[in-house]
Amino acid sequence: NVVWSVTLNALWPIGIRSDGAGNSWVIDGISSSGLEYVNANGTRFGPFPIPGLSGISDFDVDGRGDAWVLRQGTTAMPNGTLMRFDTTGALTQSITIGSIPMAFTLDACGRPHVLLDAALPQTIAVIDPVTGGTLATTTLSTTSRYESITIDPTRNYWLSSTPAGFAAFDATGAPLA
């Protein structure tokens, strides 16, 4: 049953993520509207602009309800950027990723795990959500290029792409059998 519905400003919504309290974020992939936040009662807030809107490749929501947005590098801005927005739409953190990031996921502790580089070998960088520094880097043992990532509760990485399909790796980068 639909409890409520809301009209968004998004011209090309490329994703929706929800937190444990029933609040949701929607990201727009092509317009300057950027992010919109809808609380559990169906009240819409935003749109909130995203700096350097082009090149948005992924986003996620942490346990506090903050939205994290990954922007790939472009010719004009070659480094990727991982940005955190609070529920008021304020940009509270911007982390330069010194590579072309493909995708990211947040682990249970709220740490971003960023899948770097379209070139092989691909690596995953674990980012400190407070300082923005790199906590650890894992090189994947694979000859395929992947474009999306998630992490399971046992800290295994699950990656997918077209046409490679999907694969799983442990925290050291070794493929799971």
Side-chain angles (χ1 to χ4, degrees), residues 15-92:
I16 185 168
R17 302 289 187 278
S18 298
D19 62 21
N23 306 305
S24 298
W25 286 92
V26 176
I27 192 165
D28 191 344
I30 63 169
S31 79
S32 61
S33 63
L35 283 167
E36 295 183 60
Y37 175 76
V38 181
N39 70 16
N41 296 323
T43 304
R44 181 182 63 85
F45 299 90
F48 308 119
I50 300 172
L53 181 64
S54 66
I56 300 299
S57 65
D58 208 354
F59 88 113
D60 207 346
V61 175
D62 65 22
R64 297 185 334 182
D66 291 348
W68 290 76
V69 176
L70 182 64
R71 187 187 56 76
Q72 290 181 329
T74 62
T75 303
M77 301 172 75
N79 289 321
T81 308
L82 187 60
M83 298 168 278
R84 182 193 302 194
F85 297 85
D86 68 16
T87 57
T88 70
L91 176 63
T92 60

Side-chain angles (χ1 to χ4, degrees), residues 116-160:
L116 301 173
D117 298 319
L120 296 173
Q122 281 185 294
T123 57
I124 298 170
V126 182
I127 307 297
D128 184 318
V130 176
T131 68
T134 301
L135 296 171
T137 303
T138 300
T139 300
L140 298 175
S141 177
T142 181
T143 56
S144 297
R145 236 188 331 255
Y146 293 94
E147 300 160 347
S148 63
I149 182 172
T150 192
I151 188 169
D152 68 25
T154 59
R155 301 201 58 214
N156 295 316
Y157 293 111
W158 294 82
L159 297 107
S160 68

Side-chain angles (χ1 to χ4, degrees), residues 90-110:
L91 176 63
T92 60
Q93 190 170 19
S94 182
I95 302 167
T96 298
I97 306 295
S99 177
I100 300 173
M102 300 301 294
F104 83 104
T105 189
L106 297 171
D107 65 20
C109 297

